[in-house]
Amino acid sequence: MTFSKQAFSKLPWRFLLLMILVGLNLRPALSSLAPLLHRIQQDTSLTPLAIGALTTLPVLCLGVFAPMAPRLSRQYGPERALSIALVIIATGLLVRWWPAPAALFIGTLLVGAGIGVAGSLLPALVKRELPHGADIMTGVYTMALCLGGALGAALSIPLAEWLGDWSHSLAAWSLLAFAALIAWEVAMPRTPPLKHQPGQTGTGATVGLLRKPLAWQVTLLMGSQSSLAYIVFGWLPTLLVNRGYGEAEAGWLMGLSVLIQLISALGAPWLARLGRDQRPALLLVLGCSVAGLWLLLMGDTSLKWLGVTLLGLGQGGSFSLALTLIVLRTSDSRLAGRLSGLAQGGGYALASLGPLGVGIMLEMQVGIAAVTWLLMAIAAVAAVCAWFAGRSRQLAFAEDGSLTTLKAPRR
């Protein structure tokens, strides 16, 4: 698919800019925490296991609250539901201003809940606003997520130095969340509610998805690649410090890796269009992630820049493609919303086991080599899921309202 000048001029630019602004808020709350874990542990006396629970909590909340997005969308409309999610994110970030363990956990829970709902709503909105170019627009949205994540990781330590405290650094990101909320409320799309269609409301569609292998394949891919991503968000700076890097350098390396994700987040959907399906693109980006992690954690320190580059290219591309599969494997925006809730809800619930597992391993003083092999095993699971989820298939409603799996149409 290519965009003509006429089609380019008809793109919903206001929605795209809003989508980018909202996307910028869905990662700093997570990525800004990891570089500060050492300071947090010193000031609060939290054990490594408690720190592991803290890094796991937002990912678990993504899984628990993402399935609520379709219900909120039906009750309030997707636009208003997204506003609610932004309010929750901003509130959670403000709660982190109080430098106490209870506030840190409560704020992180709220942030995870808001991000879970917002992240599940956006793919369906993208499918609705630009149905014939949703895969490319998902890449743009993912690029915004990556940029937000990079800013959160890279600026976390400098903000703490400037503002005088790690809690102020974490809470400062609420300003960006409030800016997005105001912009969304002022300029969000105004659309009439969609009429009821058989099989597309209530719980029937979700139950039907649970019976479809394709839905599970997309969900497991989302979960396994997200597990790698949130281990990096939660623990990569700590693992690099254990290898001998300085605290600030470890934060910058992680930030650079997330910044590099911008390239593959936008480019991976284009790459996926070159073949009959998305399997080659998925396996390529997963291979880059594996190579990058191995070089950073096991390779010579002189190869750190190559490792950072490969990790960034791999993780940006794998997350972008996983989100793209949600819109490519569904025939309309409502079904995309259902699959988004299932894939991100179930996927993130599974992904939360990754950061928790690393936290337990570090509590037991297991070496970096064992952690690295755990990451390799998760990547192998992701590759198997990618092989099946990447096939050219699509979930659609039949005339009688039942859910069926068809060969995906040409794009």
Side-chain angles (χ1 to χ4, degrees):
M1 173 184 168
T2 58
F3 287 114
S4 65
K5 289 184 178 180
Q6 184 179 9
F8 189 78
S9 65
K10 293 182 178 180
L11 284 175
W13 288 107
R14 184 177 67 175
F15 172 74
L16 293 180
L17 292 174
L18 289 171
M19 180 182 68
I20 291 171
L21 184 56
V22 172
L24 285 173
N25 282 276
L26 302 189
R27 287 298 176 269
L30 308 178
S31 63
S32 63
L33 184 63
L36 296 169
L37 287 180
H38 183 67
R39 298 186 184 198
I40 292 171
Q41 189 172 10
Q42 284 184 326
D43 290 352
T44 61
S45 300
L46 290 173
T47 66
L49 186 59
I51 292 291
L54 182 63
T55 62
T56 301
L57 181 61
V59 190
L60 183 60
C61 288
L62 295 181
V64 171
F65 290 96
M68 294 179 60
R71 178 177 297 178
L72 290 172
S73 181
R74 290 196 307 272
Q75 186 170 354
Y76 301 105
E79 299 88 358
R80 190 64 61 197
L82 188 57
S83 294
I84 294 171
L86 287 171
V87 169
I88 295 172
I89 293 171
T91 302
L93 288 167
L94 277 179
V95 170
R96 284 174 161 183
W97 189 279
W98 183 30
L104 189 58
F105 277 90
I106 293 171
T108 300
L109 186 151
L110 290 172
V111 162
I115 293 174
V117 172
S120 185
L121 289 168
L122 278 171
L125 283 167
V126 170
K127 183 83 172 181
R128 187 192 72 186
E129 294 294 318
L130 197 64
H132 300 298
D135 52 344
I136 301 302
M137 292 306 104
T138 300
V140 174
Y141 155 63
T142 310
M143 184 181 67
L145 263 68
C146 295
L147 178 58
L151 292 174
L155 298 180
S156 187
I157 297 295
L159 280 174
E161 297 291 344
W162 182 46
L163 298 174
D165 190 80
W166 56 263
S167 62
H168 297 167
S169 175
L170 292 176
W173 295 101
S174 63
L175 297 175
L176 182 61
F178 280 119
L181 174 62
I182 293 170
W184 181 258
E185 277 294 307
V186 171
M188 66 180 176
R190 309 288 175 175
T191 57
L194 294 174
K195 295 181 179 180
H196 172 80
Q197 297 181 29
Q200 294 188 346
T201 58
T203 60
T206 301
V207 173
L209 282 176
L210 293 174
R211 299 193 183 106
K212 295 299 178 182
L214 180 57
W216 282 105
Q217 291 155 11
V218 174
T219 298
L220 292 174
L221 173 62
M222 176 65 76
S224 52
Q225 68 84 28
S226 293
S227 183
L228 289 175
Y230 288 109
I231 289 172
V232 169
F233 274 134
W235 288 112
L236 182 60
T238 300
L239 294 172
L240 292 177
V241 168
N242 290 347
R243 286 212 69 189
Y245 292 96
E247 183 184 54
E249 184 182 12
W252 277 107
L253 286 172
M254 175 180 157
L256 179 59
S257 174
V258 180
L259 185 62
I260 292 171
Q261 291 182 19
L262 293 171
I263 302 171
S264 54
L266 186 59
W270 290 98
L271 179 64
R273 287 169 171 256
L274 298 179
R276 293 178 299 176
D277 55 41
Q278 288 72 50
R279 285 177 292 184
L282 282 164
L283 294 177
L284 175 62
V285 295
L286 286 170
C288 287
S289 295
V290 167
L293 286 168
W294 185 270
L295 289 175
L296 283 172
L297 300 180
M298 299 294 291
D300 190 273
T301 54
S302 63
L303 299 174
K304 62 183 178 182
W305 302 115
L306 178 60
V308 161
T309 301
L310 289 172
L311 179 60
L313 292 174
Q315 293 208 305
S318 58
F319 183 65
S320 180
L321 286 173
L323 283 179
T324 298
L325 288 185
I326 293 175
V327 298
L328 292 182
R329 297 296 172 262
T330 51
S331 59
D332 58 54
S333 62
R334 291 197 176 193
L335 193 49
R338 290 287 183 178
L339 182 59
S340 181
L342 175 63
Q344 297 196 59
Y348 288 138
L350 291 173
S352 67
L353 298 177
L356 180 61
V358 172
I360 292 173
M361 294 176 77
L362 294 178
E363 174 81 11
M364 298 172 62
Q365 298 184 339
V366 173
I368 289 181
V371 175
T372 304
W373 282 112
L374 171 64
L375 297 177
M376 299 300 106
I378 296 172
V381 172
V384 173
C385 296
W387 182 259
F388 290 100
R391 295 175 299 168
S392 183
R393 300 288 187 271
Q394 190 175 78
L395 295 163
F397 286 107
E399 291 184 2
D400 62 358
S402 63
L403 200 58
T404 185
T405 303
L406 306 171
K407 184 175 178 60
R410 287 184 176 274
R411 291 171 288 124

